[in-house]
Amino acid sequence: LQNDLRLAIERRELALFYQPKIDARTRELTGVEALVRWQHPTSGAVGAAELIAVAERFGLIGAIGQWVIDEACRQVRRWEAQGLRMRVAVNLSAHQLRADDLVQRVRQAFEAHRVDASLFTFEITESVAMEDTQATVRSFAQLARAGVSLAIDDFGTGHSSLAYLRTLPAQQLKIDRSFIGDLGLSGDAMAVVDAVIRLAHALGLRVVAEGVETLRQM
């Protein structure tokens, strides 16, 4: 997989799929999240978890992460040419977040594809955000100045510092799908989801619930 992944980009085996984000009140589409997938020539579809794990282990995550940003920009531009302004969320890895030239690369991608920075949200998982809080605060501030929105992904699964959560220029919290999947089955899950929503709203943040698949969860 490692050797094949090194060639996957030039062989055009990677693709982005777009998961819709729906407003819970109006039921309208408010944006999408870009999800990378790999169609291996012999093994077939490789799951995102395995793809990312291999990429991170062998130092390929930077190149794949940049490809994702560029491909998302290309898609946004294609949509705009069809008269559709669509907000797109893109996940950032720990490697990308710590890179000194992250903001420069992001700005270059926006300029090259002639897209509006305000249409993009960059998501960082809670665990990555809390690994090096000072570096996260610095990177978030630079990204915010570039004009993008920021989100904390998989909230509730890591070890958050509410002090840093207050200072990060994020606009959105995403509740981890493990809590959403247990809604209707576990009173604890309901309590956690309720608490996260109340906390986020108290901090002036919007909330995204990941993995809503049933009417009861909705």
Side-chain angles (χ1 to χ4, degrees):
L1 283 179
Q2 173 201 351
N3 292 333
D4 291 343
L5 188 54
R6 292 184 187 278
L7 300 172
I9 294 177
E10 61 185 75
R11 289 176 177 172
R12 300 191 177 187
E13 295 168 1
L14 298 182
L16 288 188
F17 285 70
Y18 296 91
Q19 180 169 271
K21 297 166 84 169
I22 307 296
D23 187 296
R25 291 192 183 94
T26 66
R27 313 289 175 88
E28 293 179 347
L29 180 69
T30 63
V32 294
E33 179 180 356
L35 304 171
V36 64
R37 296 291 184 264
W38 180 20
Q39 189 66 29
H40 191 277
T42 55
S43 302
V46 178
E50 187 174 11
L51 163 60
I52 299 302
V54 172
E56 288 182 335
R57 181 176 178 184
F58 296 106
L60 303 173
I61 193 66
I64 291 175
Q66 187 61 43
W67 177 86
V68 169
I69 292 173
D70 283 324
E71 180 59 28
C73 287
R74 279 190 286 270
Q75 182 62 67
V76 165
R77 189 64 192 160
R78 285 194 289 265
W79 279 329
E80 283 197 311
Q82 297 167 3
L84 178 65
R85 278 179 67 83
M86 180 67 71
R87 296 188 60 84
V88 177
V90 174
N91 293 281
L92 290 182
S93 67
H95 174 87
Q96 289 172 284
L97 189 65
R98 306 289 179 255
D100 292 334
D101 62 348
L102 169 63
V103 176
Q104 179 185 345
R105 285 174 173 269
V106 168
R107 288 183 186 274
Q108 287 174 344
F110 292 161
E111 291 171 5
H113 298 283
R114 294 176 292 120
V115 294
D116 187 347
S118 66
L119 291 175
F120 286 82
T121 298
F122 284 111
E123 299 182 357
I124 294 93
T125 63
E126 180 186 25
S127 55
V128 167
M130 293 303 141
E131 272 178 17
D132 185 342
T133 50
Q134 289 185 333
T136 298
V137 169
R138 185 168 57 251
S139 296
F140 265 43
Q142 292 173 344
L143 286 167
R145 285 196 294 272
V148 302
S149 297
L150 299 158
I152 303 295
D153 200 1
D154 296 344
F155 190 79
T157 60
H159 302 285
S160 284
S161 165
L162 294 183
Y164 277 106
L165 186 61
R166 264 190 328 124
T167 60
L168 289 174
Q171 289 83 34
Q172 195 178 95
L173 280 189
K174 296 183 69 182
I175 306 172
D176 186 67
R177 65 186 308 117
S178 62
F179 298 116
I180 304 302
D182 286 341
L183 286 181
L185 305 174
S186 164
D188 290 345
M190 182 71 79
V192 169
V193 169
D194 182 63
V196 171
I197 292 171
R198 290 174 186 273
L199 171 64
H201 287 174
L203 293 172
L205 304 174
R206 300 186 70 178
V207 182
V208 173
E210 286 191 316
V212 175
E213 296 180 348
T214 69
L215 287 173
R216 183 159 190 164
Q217 290 166 352
M218 185 176 68

